[in-house]
Amino acid sequence: MADAVGAGGRLRPVGDDGEPAGDEVAVADLAAEVGRLEAARAPRWVWAVTDEVYPALPRVARCHDVKLVEALLLGQEGRHGRPRSLGGAWARLRGLPEPPDAPESGADGRPVLFAADRHRLPRDTDPLAALVAVHAAQQRRIAAGGHPERMRLLCAAESAGALAAVEMGRDGLPWSAAAHDELLTALLGPRPAGGARPARLVELAGRLQEELGRPVNPDSPAQVLPAFARIGVHLASTRSYELKQVGHPAAALLLRYKELSRIHVAHGWAWRERWAPAGRFRPEYVAGGVVTGRWATRGGGALQIPRLLRAAVVADPGHRLVVADAGQLEPRVLAAMSGDPGLTRAAAAGDLYAALAEDAFDGDRPRAKIGLLAAMYGQTGGAAGQPLAVMRRSFPAALALLEDAARTGEAGGVVRSQLGRTSPAPSADRFPDEAADPGDGSSPDRRAARSRGRFTRNFVIQASASDWALAMLAALRRRLAAIGTQPRLVFFQHDEVIVHTPTALAPQVSAAVEAAAEEASRLVFGPTGVPFPLHTHTVKCYADAK
């Protein structure tokens, strides 16, 4: 049983098939009624967009996010890029022109929650009736797919992820202003007044100008590149990887300036005032924000907290952080999907790369890692060539899965994750590196095909890793709720989670994390000899977990 949530505090029960199972009910206090029903029977709540409805409601166990599910179904049906909103789905259902989706964010990067009509429904349409009808149609489309049980699991996990995203933004990651200040001062010097550069950046800029022999703005490539050229160092860009190839002292100074400048801009004092006030970092996660199923953020840089600043993430008094990461996740996904016996044995051994090295690379772990990553990411030249040949001979089933996916992409086809997330069809703007000429005489069409092949080769692995991560996150939410209201999931990044918990509950939380990983492995991959361990560390400070 589920309950559809419409505008103005209106509810309507629906059955498992999505069809109405009772009369509409209007309630004066939606949050109170949701809390009451959640305690009584914990329905699966159906709504148009989680991040619009859920922030004003108490915690719920399950939901069906129509917009996220619509995106998954459009991909399954070969209709990537069509509008995903309730209004778009309603228009397709009624044979009407499809309204474009509303912008996801405003000029300042914040979500447009109060746009005139984020759902894009016609003015004379009842939002609750449209929601019920679209949800029922989605249930029929799921049932009609090639693997309906897998797609149901993916839709449930994606929707659970949306709940977790709102909850993590609401609860926030503990952030110590004192520790942050101490770190910034050590790296940059005292906080400057106004918008001035910190003292350390001023010093580095001055030393850079001395090495270059003229005044330059380190933040301006248009000034920096000619200045380097005048001293005989010709650069195509000021990107870090290029500067690291240069032996001149000016390159090292510019690298250090860029590193510290990024910290100042992306995670400095102004950032804390905007994103981490009152001792909590509250980012705005975007569930399903990347085509592979990985999350994105609308600001705050939650997915890119620099290692240098992790010492600012400090548990509250009487609490601990349970930090868990899934080691070597994507190689394990490849082993489970392909069923390759050799790769499965290596995954079961613990350190997958070390086991690969013993089996096929004469104990050379770095070379084994190069070979496996080259296979997954489509690298063929340079140092990857010989290790890749060893991988092809020693692990044929794993390489066959990857190469089949690459050939499908090269031919213009689409591939799917373990649970059914579908890659976008080829388009002119999806592969911006197609025009790059590697100097091998290949035609633009051939280069474009290879680019698509590299994308689909990695998509099947990265998207399936997202399947597992979302299933793990959903299982962990449920298990934490069974422990009590105090343990809070406060951070998620691809293959890593952090739970903030009272110290006394930390052992139970660690056990819940490990059990959630096992459950996700069973649900997504079925019986497999490939373990997917989540390594847990109970710490006071995030920096101590590594």
Side-chain angles (χ1 to χ4, degrees):
M1 181 67 71
D3 280 284
V5 178
R10 297 161 61 211
L11 302 175
R12 186 163 193 183
V14 295
D16 291 339
D17 59 358
E19 296 297 334
D23 294 331
E24 175 187 326
V25 177
V27 296
D29 188 336
L30 179 61
E33 182 65 8
V34 167
R36 186 187 71 79
L37 291 173
E38 184 70 19
R41 53 186 174 86
R44 186 183 301 277
W45 299 95
V46 179
W47 45 54
V49 189
T50 299
D51 66 9
E52 182 177 277
V53 179
Y54 190 40
L57 299 178
R59 289 192 175 232
V60 302
R62 303 180 299 162
C63 83
H64 178 104
D65 185 306
V66 162
K67 184 176 181 180
L68 289 175
V69 171
E70 189 67 16
L72 294 172
L73 292 174
L74 288 171
Q76 176 181 263
E77 296 158 355
R79 297 190 286 175
H80 259 295
R82 301 281 285 273
R84 302 163 295 153
S85 67
L86 175 61
W90 171 253
R92 284 187 291 274
L93 194 59
R94 305 279 290 184
L96 302 172
E98 299 174 28
D101 286 337
E104 286 294 329
S105 60
D108 62 351
R110 296 185 68 89
V112 182
L113 297 184
F114 305 106
D117 179 13
R118 199 175 178 213
H119 299 160
R120 292 299 202 251
L121 287 167
R123 290 184 180 278
D124 58 350
T125 302
D126 179 351
L128 181 58
L131 180 66
V132 170
V134 166
H135 173 246
Q138 287 183 338
Q139 296 303 317
R140 293 192 295 270
R141 290 157 67 193
I142 291 171
H147 297 281
E149 291 307 314
R150 293 185 187 182
M151 181 55 70
R152 283 193 188 94
L153 175 57
L154 180 58
C155 292
E158 189 95 328
S159 297
L163 293 174
V166 171
E167 291 162 1
M168 287 190 289
R170 183 159 53 193
D171 293 330
L173 179 69
W175 194 272
S176 167
H180 189 212
D181 274 333
E182 184 177 345
L183 289 164
L184 292 178
T185 301
L187 290 168
L188 301 169
R191 182 176 186 175
R197 282 183 182 148
R200 179 64 173 146
L201 292 183
V202 171
E203 176 204 341
L204 287 168
R207 291 172 59 193
L208 176 64
Q209 291 173 7
E210 289 176 7
E211 291 290 344
L212 294 174
R214 64 185 59 245
V216 294
N217 177 1
D219 298 312
S220 171
Q223 294 184 31
V224 169
L225 294 176
F228 269 93
R230 289 188 188 98
I231 62 171
V233 179
H234 297 279
L235 299 169
S237 73
T238 59
R239 292 183 182 275
S240 296
Y241 74 85
E242 189 166 353
L243 290 170
K244 288 176 182 176
Q245 310 305 313
V246 177
H248 197 282
L253 289 169
L254 183 57
L255 272 169
R256 184 58 173 164
Y257 177 92
K258 287 165 64 69
E259 178 187 8
L260 295 181
S261 180
R262 277 194 296 270
I263 290 174
H264 178 232
V265 172
H267 290 94
W269 292 280
W271 168 89
R272 188 177 72 228
E273 291 175 356
R274 166 67 181 84
W275 292 102
R280 286 293 185 273
F281 173 30
R282 291 186 168 87
E284 293 169 355
Y285 291 101
V286 182
V290 181
V291 293
T292 58
R294 285 187 170 188
W295 287 12
T297 62
R298 292 192 179 101
L303 303 180
Q304 297 175 328
I305 299 176
R307 193 170 296 273
L308 285 170
L309 295 184
R310 290 182 179 181
V313 181
V314 180
D316 293 343
H319 288 68
R320 289 294 183 268
L321 303 172
V322 176
V323 182
D325 66 279
Q328 303 167 340
L329 176 58
E330 291 187 5
R332 293 175 185 279
V333 167
L334 174 59
M337 291 186 73
S338 68
D340 188 289
L343 200 56
T344 298
R345 284 195 305 273
D351 184 342
L352 185 148
Y353 296 127
L356 281 186
E358 289 300 320
D359 283 353
F361 290 89
D362 299 321
D364 189 338
R365 187 182 186 279
R367 200 158 61 96
K369 185 174 182 178
I370 289 172
L372 182 51
L373 295 181
M376 290 196 299
Y377 292 99
Q379 299 167 321
T380 56
Q386 194 275 337
L388 185 57
V390 174
M391 288 291 302
R392 191 171 284 112
R393 290 194 304 271
S394 303
F395 308 100
L399 270 290
L401 182 148
L402 295 169
E403 289 169 358
D404 284 349
R407 282 191 292 270
T408 298
E410 290 178 7
V414 298
V415 295
R416 291 187 169 86
S417 72
Q418 179 73 5
L419 294 183
R421 190 186 303 271
T422 307
S423 67
S427 64
D429 60 351
R430 193 168 294 283
F431 302 97
D433 61 334
E434 290 171 5
D437 188 348
D440 61 0
S442 57
S443 69
D445 285 347
R446 180 58 190 149
R447 296 198 298 271
R450 284 201 300 243
S451 182
R452 293 194 297 269
R454 285 192 297 272
F455 173 76
T456 50
R457 172 191 292 266
N458 186 240
F459 182 94
V460 291
I461 303 303
Q462 192 177 111
S464 297
S466 295
D467 292 350
W468 179 89
L470 286 168
M472 178 277 296
L473 195 66
L476 181 57
R477 280 187 74 248
R478 189 185 73 250
R479 291 173 183 275
L480 291 177
I483 294 173
T485 60
Q486 289 301 308
R488 296 293 199 187
L489 185 63
V490 292
F491 182 76
F492 172 62
Q493 176 183 258
H494 311 322
D495 57 1
E496 184 176 23
V497 294
I498 300 178
V499 179
H500 187 234
T501 179
T503 303
L505 297 178
Q508 293 181 60
V509 170
S510 294
V513 169
E514 293 168 5
E518 293 174 3
E519 179 180 336
S521 304
R522 184 174 64 255
L523 288 172
V524 176
F525 297 109
T528 176
V530 179
F532 287 83
L534 267 175
H535 305 289
T536 61
H537 308 271
T538 300
V539 294
K540 182 69 175 175
C541 172
Y542 185 22
D544 296 335
K546 300 292 183 180

